[in-house]
């Protein structure tokens, strides 16, 4: 019902003719000129926004209406819904020769926010971005910065960094860095007071209460995002907004001169001097603005990590703790990359944090930036990080494969660091059976990420096992389904030991000791237990009830594409012995595939094309594997349900054999 109504509204908006639009705009212009900000005005502005945003081409509005929208936007007494609608309409129709926006005379923070949301998306036209940036900086430097609404300026500055970071010069960067230091470190530790509504029954003003920790204790240190209060002062809001943009600021301006890739190289003496200066807040004031901002950000992150160890009273505060942990460790990592002297101070904090959260599955997403920190800095700190990597790659995928967000962020981490992981982390290549669980369970959402990651997992010593694992991927999905069902079923309360008992479904088979070894293999966490198992037919049989499950079908549909990627990578380094083994696997597995008809057909099609590629790449294999190939062609059962593959083998082998012998 809602979809049909929305469709009708969009169609009507697109069918509005220019003549009707001009008349409608005249009515809106009259309402705005008379400052009649009533329900009719709001309804009319909503309709106008729908009309200008519902078409692919731009609508042209009269100059008079554009000017009225602009003047209303700058009228401080206009209701908030009217201001937001005027801003949205102008954002749709500008730029236009009929109206030029300027923020040079704007002093109100909310108005500045609305105007910048129109100007910045247009890009740097006639120096508009520079004008917005200059005005924001002037407002930040003015006395109004501590007044109500100044928090609206920092999101504008953050957007400027996205659009044109080169807009800020060195002096401006230093000025903002000083402001950020003050807002991060020196916000009030007393709660704000509610705005009085006035009137006879207004309550008496009270002394403001102290800020609290998430566990209800009175805060004993400076204010952070994890400090709790019923009301917040303006400098506390600025503290929170500053933290939200500090990573972006440090990325652009934290390392060296503005927008320069040349880092300031410090001597050992300089580093030691800076470390001593960092020891006290008094001496830290002697640092340059960027150095001091890094120092205060470091202190802020340490404080957040300490606060995250408190038991939150509210669930929402507990989730906020986890989010702050992720950002805090990410910032520590960035600071240490920009100034390695921080590594020795940060590592004890991060190491203690890892010890606290590694066993708690609720903190898994926070664990990824911790591992990233180890990956970037453990060598400099001379810390053995093998146990950290092993925990990540063995525990997380096997226990949290069903958590789609963890799965996505885990694969993003692997993609981002694939070169470092491939070269320096041995467990990375051995854990592909575990990582395949993410793909098997979350195929539609993770397929693109895995396509990029798969080539990094393929090596000569694991290529055969990876090939078998790709062919068994739908079985892995089915086994995970069976495991999950068995954990929630009544049958899971008692392990089935009677081998003669008939197995009714895969969940029951999972609990039967007779099939235990098969499930242990398909659900293994590391490579090296063997390329495959002897009882694949039996595994396919016990998982047959899962073959038409939507999750299994989705997974099976991706296997042919993954096989193409696999062979494209393997042929780049495969030698004669490996090619011989690959061909044997192709011949063997063409008859040992999970019983999904479309899956079998597509895999055999890939086998047919790749067999030709391998034969051309290494022609002697026809002679070296002549016995196996002839036996395959002589077996009548190989024709059934795989005629195309059988035909490729039967036709290509004699031709190649004759060519080699001649």
């Amino acid at each position: 019902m809602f979809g049909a109504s929305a469709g009708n509204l969009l169609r009507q908006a697109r069918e509005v003719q220019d003549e009707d639009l001009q008349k409608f705009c005249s009515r809106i212009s009259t309402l705005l000129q008379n400052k009649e900000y009533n329900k009719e005005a709001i309804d009319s502005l909503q309709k106008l926004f729908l009309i200008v945003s519902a078409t692919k081409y731009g609508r042209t509005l009269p100059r008079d209406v554009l000017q009225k929208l602009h003047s209303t936007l700058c009228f401080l007494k206009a209701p908030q819904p009217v201001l937001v609608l005027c801003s949205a309409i102008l954002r749709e129709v500008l730029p236009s020769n009929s109206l030029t926006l300027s923020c040079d005379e704007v002093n109100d923070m909310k108005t500045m926010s609305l105007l910048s949301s129109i100007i910045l998306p247009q890009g740097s036209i006639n120096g508009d971005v520079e004008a917005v940036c200059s005005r924001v900086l002037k407002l930040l430097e003015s006395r109004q910065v501590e007044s109500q609404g100044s928090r609206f300026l920092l999101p504008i500055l953050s957007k400027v960094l996205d659009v044109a970071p080169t807009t800020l010069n060195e002096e401006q960067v230093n000025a903002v860095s000083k402001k950020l230091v003050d807002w991060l470190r020196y916000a009030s530790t007393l709660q704000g007071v509610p705005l009085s509504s006035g009137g006879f029954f207004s309550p008496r003003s009270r002394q403001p209460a102290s800020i609290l920790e998430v566990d209800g204790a009175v805060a004993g240190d400076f204010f952070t995002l994890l400090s709790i209060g019923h009301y917040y002062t303006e400098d506390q809001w600025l503290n929170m907004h500053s933290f939200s943009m500090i990573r972006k600021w440090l990325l652009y301006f934290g390392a060296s001169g503005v927008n320069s890739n040349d880092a300031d190289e410090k001597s050992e003496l300089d580093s030691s001097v800076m470390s001593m200066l960092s020891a006290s807040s008094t001496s830290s004031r002697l640092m340059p603005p960027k150095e001091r901002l890094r120092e205060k950000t470091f202190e802020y992150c340490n404080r957040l990590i300490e606060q995250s160890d408190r038991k939150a009273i509210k669930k929402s505060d507990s989730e906020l703790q986890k989010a702050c942990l992720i950002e805090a460790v990410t910032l520590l990592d960035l600071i240490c990359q920009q100034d390695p002297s921080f590594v020795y101070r940060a590592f004890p904090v991060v190491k203690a944090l890892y010890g606290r959260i590694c066993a708690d599955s609720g903190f898994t997403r926070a664990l990824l930036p911790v591992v990233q920190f180890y990956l970037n800095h453990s060598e400099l700190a001379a810390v053995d990080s093998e146990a950290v990597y092993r925990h990540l790659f063995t525990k997380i995928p096997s226990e949290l494969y069903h958590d789609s967000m963890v799965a996505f962020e885990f694969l993003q981490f692997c993609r981002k660091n694939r070169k470092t992981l491939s070269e320096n982390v041995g467990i990375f290549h051995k854990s592909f059976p575990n990582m395949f669980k993410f793909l098997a369970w979350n195929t539609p959402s993770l397929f693109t990420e895995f396509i990029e990651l798969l080539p990094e997992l393929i090596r000569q010593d694991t290529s055969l096992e990876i090939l078998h694992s790709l062919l068994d991927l739908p079985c892995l999905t089915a086994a995970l389904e069976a495991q999950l069902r068995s954990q929630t079923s009544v049958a899971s309360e008692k392990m089935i030991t009677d081998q003669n008992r008939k197995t009714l479904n895969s969940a029951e088979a999972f609990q039967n000791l007779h099939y235990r070894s098969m499930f242990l293999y398909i659900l293994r966490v590391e490579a090296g237990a063997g390329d495959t198992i002897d009882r694949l037919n039996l595994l396919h049989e016990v998982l047959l009830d899962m073959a038409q499950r939507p999750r299994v079908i989705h997974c099976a549909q991706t296997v042919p594409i993954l096989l193409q990627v696999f062979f494209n990578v393997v042929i780049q380094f495969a030698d004669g012995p490996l090619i011989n083994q690959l061909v044997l696997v192709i011949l063997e597995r063409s008859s040992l595939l999970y019983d999904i008809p479309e899956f079998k057909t597509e895999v055999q099609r890939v086998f047919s094309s790749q067999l030709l590629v391998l034969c051309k790449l290494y022609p002697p294999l026809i002679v070296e594997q002549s016995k196996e190939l002839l036996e395959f062609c002589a077996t009548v059962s190989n024709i059934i349900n795989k005629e195309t593959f059988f035909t490729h083998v039967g036709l290509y082998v004699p031709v190649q054999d004759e060519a080699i012998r001649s």
Side-chain angles (χ1 to χ4, degrees), residues 587 611-612 629 632-633 644-654:
L587 296 176
L611 183 62
L612 299 182
L629 290 168
F632 180 87
C633 294
T644 304
F645 178 67
F646 182 86
T647 303
H648 274 81
V649 177
L651 291 178
Y652 192 76
V653 169

Side-chain angles (χ1 to χ4, degrees), residues 593-625:
L593 295 172
Y594 195 32
D595 194 14
I596 303 175
E598 297 83 359
F599 168 68
K600 286 183 172 182
T601 301
E602 288 301 310
V603 169
Q604 288 164 4
R605 182 181 59 80
V606 175
F607 277 173
S608 300
S609 62
Q610 293 304 320
L611 183 62
L612 299 182
V613 172
L614 293 174
C615 289
K616 290 178 180 178
L617 184 65
Y618 186 64
L621 78 84
I622 300 298
V623 175
E624 295 174 7
Q625 301 298 331

Side-chain angles (χ1 to χ4, degrees), residues 433-503:
N434 226 14
M435 285 192 276
F436 278 8
K437 293 172 187 174
F438 282 138
L439 177 63
W441 194 261
N442 308 278
T443 304
S445 58
L446 297 183
F447 178 67
T448 304
E449 280 69 25
F450 217 91
I451 284 289
E452 292 187 29
L453 184 61
L454 181 59
E456 297 298 331
L457 297 172
I458 301 171
R459 303 176 73 179
Q460 182 143 359
D461 57 337
T462 59
S463 54
L464 292 177
E465 190 174 347
I466 288 180
L467 177 56
H468 281 290
S469 297
L470 290 174
L471 295 170
D472 293 333
L473 204 58
C475 293
L476 176 58
T477 307
L480 292 171
E481 290 257 21
Q483 180 186 41
L484 200 61
R485 288 189 173 198
S486 69
Q487 291 172 350
T488 57
S489 66
V490 178
S492 65
E493 297 177 3
K494 183 178 180 181
M495 179 65 71
I496 300 171
T497 58
D498 185 4
Q499 297 185 9
N500 297 321
R501 177 180 173 179
K502 185 177 179 180
T503 301

